Amino acid sequence: MLVIRRDLVDAMVAHARRDHPDEACGVIAGPEGSDRPERFVEMDNAERSPTFYRFDSMEQLRVHREMTANDEETIVVYHSHTATEAYPSRTDVSYASEPQAHYVLISTRDPERHELRSYRIVDGVVTEEPVEIVESYMFAHTGADDTPDCP
C-alpha cells in the first residue's frame, strides 16, 4: 500500500495538468528504508511527448546525487498518461528499474477529473496496490481508533 500526503498528490496532479498534452514525470524521495514519500521532485520529460516519457539523464544523475547526499531513496516514480487510463504500458514496465519504488500513474484524459493509481513493478510483473491519501503521516498508521474506551 502506498500511503502519501495529499499535498504530494496535489503536486503530481498539478504537474500532470500543466504539462498536458505531453506526459509529465518526476520522483518523490524519502528517507532510506522508510517507504515514506516526502520530497517532491518535478522533472522534465526529455521526450516532450504525449505518449512517452524519459528522464533527462543529467537531471536524473543530479537528483540521485542529491538523494544520496541526503540519505534518501526514490519512494515514488510518477508520470502521466494523457489519453489512456492510468495503467503501465509495456514500455513503462520495461523501464521500471527500481523494485522498491511505487510507480504512480496519473491519467489526465478527462479534463474535469484525474485518475491516480499505484503499482509495484518487479521483474516485469505489475501489481496494483491501494493508495491511502493522508493529510499528515503523524497518524497515518494508527488505525481508526487505537485508544480503548474509558469507563
Side-chain angles (χ1 to χ4, degrees), residues 37-50:
E38 291 192 349
R39 188 167 65 86
F40 179 75
V41 183
E42 181 178 313
M43 297 174 71
D44 290 330
N45 178 355
E47 297 295 327
R48 300 202 182 281
S49 166

Side-chain angles (χ1 to χ4, degrees), residues 12-143:
M12 288 189 291
V13 171
H15 181 203
R17 288 283 183 212
R18 195 170 49 253
D19 280 12
H20 188 95
D22 291 339
E23 291 192 5
C25 58
V27 300
I28 303 177
E32 283 182 349
S34 71
D35 200 34
R36 191 178 62 234
E38 291 192 349
R39 188 167 65 86
F40 179 75
V41 183
E42 181 178 313
M43 297 174 71
D44 290 330
N45 178 355
E47 297 295 327
R48 300 202 182 281
S49 166
T51 59
F52 184 68
Y53 85 97
R54 179 178 56 83
F55 294 129
D56 175 84
S57 59
M58 293 307 292
E59 183 180 35
Q60 188 175 21
L61 178 61
R62 180 187 53 78
V63 168
H64 277 273
R65 283 181 175 163
E66 286 174 6
M67 287 192 292
T68 299
N70 295 326
D71 296 324
E72 295 173 323
E73 65 182 350
T74 301
I75 306 296
V76 170
V77 177
Y78 75 90
H79 77 279
S80 62
H81 282 181
T82 61
T84 60
E85 68 177 318
Y87 190 84
S89 67
R90 279 186 279 175
T91 303
D92 297 335
V93 173
S94 70
Y95 283 14
S97 61
E98 302 198 49
Q100 85 289 351
H102 302 267
Y103 286 86
V104 171
L105 279 90
I106 303 127
S107 174
T108 56
R109 66 181 168 176
D110 183 332
E112 301 299 321
R113 60 188 192 101
H114 68 272
E115 176 188 13
L116 183 143
R117 296 163 70 182
S118 182
Y119 304 89
R120 294 289 192 163
I121 304 175
V122 179
D123 296 330
V125 176
V126 177
T127 306
E128 186 168 6
E129 62 183 351
V131 177
E132 181 181 357
I133 300 172
V134 298
E135 298 302 324
S136 163
Y137 295 130
M138 185 175 293
F139 300 110
H141 301 289
T142 60

